[in-house]
Amino acid sequence: MNQRAATAVQQAAMQAILATQKIAFGKDMCPTWAVRRDRLQRLRKLVKQHQFEIAEAISADFSYRPQEETRLLEVFPSLAGISHALSHGRGWMQPRRRRTGFWFLPARSRLLPQPLGVAGIMVPWNYPLFLAIGPLTAALAAGNRALIKMPELTPAFSALFERLIAQYFAPEEVAVINGDAQVAQAFSLLPFDHLLFTGSTKVGHDVMRAASTHLTPVTLELGGKSPALICPGDGSEAALRKAAEAILRGKCVNAGQTCIAPDYVLLPEAQRDTFIRIAAEVFNSLYPAERAGKDYAAVVSERHYQRLQHLVQDAVEQGAQAHQLGQGAMQYSPRQMPPVLLTGVQDQMTVMQEEIFGPVLPVETYRTLPEAIARINQRPRPLALYAFGRDTSEINTVLNNTISGGVTVNDTLLHIAQDDLPFGGVGPSGMGAYHAREGFDTFSKLKPVLYQSRLNLTWLAQAPYTARFEWLLKWMLR
């Protein structure tokens, strides 16, 4: 069977599953909490019971990723998110009171959360478990069915996840689709009731364009260049070391292949050389040579590895200086790439034009905090921003004068792990949000309902429009 025929078969299978799920939803348009809770509990059981098998598959796809990293960064937040939904989902389902206008009393106003139907979820390769489970948790808590397109760059895990979902869920509840980019394109054209995509800004344009065919509402979780801004503060080496430790932690997990990883650093001019020295010390402490890369992930593919090498080469050829961290050899994969810091970078360099998505970290300097803020605001709005400093006024200045999807102050990445905070981008870094109640709301229609009282005065404002009506209207418009 040729590629075109295989894609056609996949497309027909997707359409059939979607039709099956829509029919099933039509028979139970507002599942009880008992039904939703059962689905969430099965999802939790899937993740918990198969966590080691999942970690092995993801490591194989990356050529190497520490199992501990997968369990910390994917299994743990997945289980935490499911537990949060189990604890709060019943409350999220309840009608929400809204005020009724004075002239319409004693009527009552409510918002009724209602499942949308069938959710489409498009999963990226960098955290294929967590970025499948997170949206799926929200969709199931809201009472929806779901069809999930898994990434082609993680074939071992994607095949495993398809088997596990089929083991724990009926196809009319949740189903998984695997396939290449053509299958993904066909998936985005399906008439879902909501489509959530996580991936690059470039592909996000294509997904949104495809979804517009059916006016499918979309949530886009994209990326961008997330800055780590070290405020002037007291300028001490101890404070700089704390910031460097957090930035290196955020940059090195999953070898920088994280949508909210620090993409570049902004720090005062006088601190640049000290930061480079401290960063080398921090990396050697986190990933000592004697462990030979045991705790450090590989770049997911040769194409992505060569792209990162080109970013460094292009910057150096245009005058930047490269500072490679790490003294020992990486022995677990030829695609393990120790971090490279770049100083002397300029805006025209490719590394400053696109999201890096790997262990390359440009270090820029500034003279004043307003200059640093202006530089951030000149660039597309990022998915995350990291502000470091102990001066509350400086931190507030940064928070009040920048716009980003989310923020962690004096650390990196951790805002995404807060189960009661929504996660989402803004502008080029995405639209919409999930996690917490906001995730439930994303996959719900909050239907406004007015309950008219048996005793009411609407008869005063109806035809015929006599002098009595004119008197009432003047009173209403005063």
Side-chain angles (χ1 to χ4, degrees), residues 30-40 93 115 140-143 440:
C30 192
T32 64
W33 173 242
V35 170
R36 303 183 198 197
R37 180 181 59 206
D38 172 64
R39 291 171 181 167
L40 290 170
M93 288 176 59
L140 294 180
F440 177 95

Side-chain angles (χ1 to χ4, degrees), residues 326-341:
Q327 301 171 350
M330 298 285 187
Q331 297 181 2
Y332 290 83
S333 169
R335 295 201 303 269
Q336 284 180 306
M337 179 180 174
V340 177
L341 306 189

Side-chain angles (χ1 to χ4, degrees), residues 431-445:
M431 64 177 64
Y434 67 109
H435 293 189
R437 189 169 83 165
E438 285 77 5
F440 177 95
D441 291 352
T442 287
F443 291 101
S444 301
K445 166 60 181 175

Side-chain angles (χ1 to χ4, degrees), residues 77-90:
S78 295
L79 293 174
I82 296 170
S83 295
H84 185 76
L86 284 167
S87 296
H88 299 280
R90 185 195 293 272

Side-chain angles (χ1 to χ4, degrees), residues 91-231:
W92 295 339
M93 288 176 59
Q94 302 309 307
R96 304 175 192 180
R97 297 182 62 179
R98 291 297 179 92
R99 294 184 62 182
T100 301
F102 172 78
W103 295 103
F104 305 95
L105 294 173
R108 296 174 293 118
S109 297
R110 299 289 186 270
L111 285 180
L112 298 184
Q114 183 176 28
L116 290 172
V118 179
I121 300 170
M122 301 183 72
V123 183
W125 54 263
N126 59 326
Y127 291 95
L129 174 70
F130 178 46
L131 296 178
I133 296 297
L136 181 57
T137 297
L140 294 180
N144 298 278
R145 318 286 170 135
L147 191 56
I148 307 169
K149 170 61 179 73
M150 296 302 292
E152 60 180 300
L153 273 179
T154 56
F157 171 71
S158 295
L160 171 63
F161 194 67
E162 183 177 7
R163 292 196 302 271
L164 292 176
I165 286 292
Q167 179 181 333
Y168 284 82
F169 293 92
E172 62 267 21
E173 293 178 309
V174 184
V176 168
I177 297 294
N178 279 308
D180 60 14
Q182 288 182 310
V183 174
Q185 184 180 16
F187 186 93
S188 65
L189 284 164
L190 293 173
F192 292 108
D193 297 294
H194 193 94
L195 179 61
L196 186 145
F197 167 81
T198 304
S200 71
T201 302
K202 179 180 181 299
V203 179
H205 282 278
D206 299 332
V207 170
M208 190 172 183
R209 191 177 299 112
S212 70
T213 303
H214 300 287
L215 294 180
T216 300
V218 296
T219 297
L220 301 178
E221 300 299 346
L222 308 178
K225 302 191 73 62
S226 298
L229 172 57
I230 300 176
C231 296

Side-chain angles (χ1 to χ4, degrees), residues 72 117 138 208 217 282 382:
L72 174 66
M208 190 172 183
V282 168

